[in-house]
Amino acid sequence: MTILNKVISGKIINPPPIWLMRQAGRYLPEYRQIRAESGSFLNLCYSPKLASKVTLQPIDRFDFDAAIIFADILLIIENLGFKLDFNEKKGPVIENCLINKKINILYKEVKKSPLINIGETISLTRGKLDKNKSLIGFCGAPWTVSTYIINGGTTNSYEKCIKWAHDNYEYFMEMINLLVEISSEYLIMQVEAGADIIKIFDTWSGVLNKNDFDNWVIKPTYQIVKNVKKKFPDVKIIGFPKNAGYFYEDYIKETQVDAVAIDPDLDMLYCKNTLQKLTVIQGNVSPEVLKLGGDTMKNDIIKTLDTFSDYSFIMGLGHGVLKDTPINHVSEFVDIVRKYKRK
Ligand code: 1CP
């Protein structure tokens, strides 16, 4: 069993294992080189050889305890017939987003869609990765993915997506159910290819009220967990309902994920006294503090370890590594954690 799997199964390991969201990416020169060679971000995601190289770069450099497969949560929307592009400045762009168009399913079966390339990246990477290290597969949760489909890209007006969902409720729920179905199949393919942990990213769950959170975040996530576990009862699943605040508790109890990633906005003592009693947590140093470095970073890392190391814990960030983060801050982060002695 990998070290991360042991921790998610309830073992207390000190110092805890480490991996970071967006640990591969533009802050690494070796990533920027392969990204330039690949021509575009999508080419890179769909090229198993290059994507596998990029997945392993942060492991070679920092010796993290897990690799997360290099891909993107939005690739799946091509299966629903939407054309995805990534613009250097704007980020993801979906032409003919839902506000203008109806769903016209292009690929119902994951294995007959371009997502099959991600399975290939996973097999290639598993063959090269140390046996003690986990390979993390992932998908976006239906609500978060649907915000991009509705809006056509990143937005800062989530109220428009919420309004659209309520105004077109039946159609919206059909889309959520379709995303549950395809995402489950996609995750099952990832486990078959060699992923031993799955993460479900719900980056925009924090904009919803409790009722919508229950119906659009908790229920679809529970369905995905159920579908994956039916096929692979032992695979461990980490949920990330970012900015869900006090809704984290119901999310943990009702989705039946095996662990949750916590964002930096959550109070650490609340996490320790409440969430850590319910499940294994991963978190939650702020990516801004990692970028800043120095004593602020050092103190936050130690405080995080002091707070959470009485129970099973995975050390990481509350969100992804920022683009201009100095590489030596990441090495120092790993160094401080590995030298940590539990009080
Ligand atoms: O040109 C580039 O280098 C593109 C930048 C980039 C990268 C490196 C994007 C575009 N995606 C990724 C990789 C990625 N995305 C991974 C790989 C593995 C890793 O973590 O190292 C993962 C897991 C994601 C997940 C992802 N993509 C999420 C959920 C997690 C999160 O960060 O909140 C979301 C919301 C996306 C959408 C996305 N992909 C890329 C951009 C610029 C965006 C938009 C983000 C936004 O709307 O704010």
Side-chain angles (χ1 to χ4, degrees):
M1 212 192 254
T2 66
I3 174 165
L4 211 65
N5 259 298
K6 283 184 191 155
V7 169
I8 300 180
S9 302
K11 201 166 165 27
I12 299 170
I13 295 181
N14 270 298
I18 318 166
W19 76 276
L20 308 180
M21 289 184 248
R22 293 276 171 105
Q23 60 191 19
R26 277 182 285 190
Y27 75 107
L28 293 174
E30 59 270 33
Y31 170 82
R32 292 197 297 271
Q33 193 188 335
I34 293 195
R35 170 75 174 76
E37 277 169 29
S38 70
S40 78
F41 175 65
L42 279 178
N43 281 350
L44 176 53
C45 290
Y46 287 131
S47 158
K49 263 196 193 145
L50 296 181
S52 172
K53 261 194 191 169
V54 164
T55 301
L56 291 166
Q57 284 173 344
I59 312 301
D60 294 342
R61 201 186 254 274
F62 305 111
D63 191 34
F64 289 125
D65 295 292
I68 177 161
I69 211 69
F70 193 84
D72 196 83
I73 63 161
L74 298 180
L75 302 181
I76 201 165
I77 73 169
E78 303 218 287
N79 292 50
L80 272 62
F82 296 97
K83 179 88 195 78
L84 175 66
D85 204 358
F86 281 91
N87 179 291
E88 294 295 327
K89 289 208 182 87
K90 283 199 272 184
V93 179
I94 298 116
E95 286 166 32
N96 290 321
C97 61
L98 254 199
I99 287 179
N100 308 318
K101 180 187 170 250
K102 291 241 165 209
I103 295 178
N104 177 17
I105 300 173
L106 193 57
Y107 310 104
K108 188 92 203 283
E109 282 179 66
V110 166
K111 285 185 180 162
K112 292 186 180 158
S113 80
L115 293 179
I116 191 72
N117 289 294
I118 312 310
E120 178 72 24
T121 306
I122 293 177
S123 330
L124 270 180
T125 311
R126 187 66 268 180
K128 292 180 182 154
L129 187 66
D130 183 311
K131 279 201 282 306
N132 294 318
K133 297 188 193 284
S134 278
L135 184 55
I136 304 172
F138 67 86
C139 74
W143 160 248
T144 286
V145 174
S146 79
T147 64
Y148 291 90
I149 300 180
I150 295 169
N151 185 69
T154 304
T155 178
N156 50 18
S157 327
Y158 285 91
E159 73 281 2
K160 282 190 201 148
C161 297
I162 297 169
K163 180 175 181 335
W164 192 93
H166 282 289
D167 289 351
N168 301 272
Y169 204 77
E170 254 180 55
Y171 186 39
F172 171 73
M173 287 314 290
E174 232 177 86
M175 178 171 65
I176 292 283
N177 291 332
L178 198 57
L179 283 167
V180 165
E181 206 182 305
I182 303 181
S183 304
S184 304
E185 208 190 304
Y186 181 35
L187 294 179
I188 287 169
M189 180 199 77
Q190 295 184 42
V191 178
E192 282 169 353
D196 57 271
I197 291 180
I198 290 298
K199 182 155 178 181
I200 302 175
F201 288 94
D202 219 340
T203 307
W204 307 115
S205 68
V207 303
L208 299 176
N209 68 21
K210 187 61 168 62
N211 193 51
D212 293 343
F213 187 86
D214 286 346
N215 290 321
W216 305 347
V217 171
I218 292 185
K219 285 185 187 153
T221 303
Y222 169 67
Q223 270 305 325
I224 295 176
V225 171
K226 202 168 107 182
N227 293 342
V228 175
K229 297 252 180 180
K230 192 170 164 205
K231 190 92 198 260
F232 294 106
D234 298 331
V235 75
K236 298 293 179 218
I237 303 182
I238 306 174
F240 184 34
K242 185 166 180 283
N243 298 117
Y246 291 111
F247 300 169
Y248 259 88
E249 260 175 87
D250 281 347
Y251 179 93
I252 293 167
K253 289 178 190 154
E254 292 170 29
T255 62
Q256 298 185 16
V257 292
D258 302 286
V260 287
I262 53 176
D263 61 67
D265 292 350
L266 279 174
D267 175 60
M268 279 210 229
L269 284 177
Y270 165 73
C271 293
K272 177 188 163 90
N273 295 330
T274 307
L275 304 185
Q276 227 183 357
K277 301 238 159 89
L278 299 171
T279 195
V280 175
I281 63 176
Q282 172 194 330
N284 72 336
V285 174
S286 139
E288 281 76 11
V289 167
L290 176 69
K291 184 171 161 185
L292 178 67
D295 282 348
T296 308
M297 176 179 86
K298 193 171 174 185
N299 294 339
D300 276 13
I301 295 171
I302 300 290
K303 191 172 164 204
T304 305
L305 292 166
D306 283 346
T307 308
F308 294 127
S309 56
D310 288 346
Y311 300 97
S312 311
F313 177 61
I314 304 162
M315 185 62 176
L317 298 177
H319 201 195
V321 177
L322 297 166
K323 184 166 105 228
D324 301 318
T325 303
I327 292 171
N328 63 323
H329 294 186
V330 181
S331 324
E332 204 185 332
F333 181 105
V334 174
D335 215 43
I336 296 170
V337 179
R338 296 252 156 91
K339 288 191 177 130
Y340 177 76
K341 295 244 180 327
R342 192 177 168 203
K343 276 190 194 150

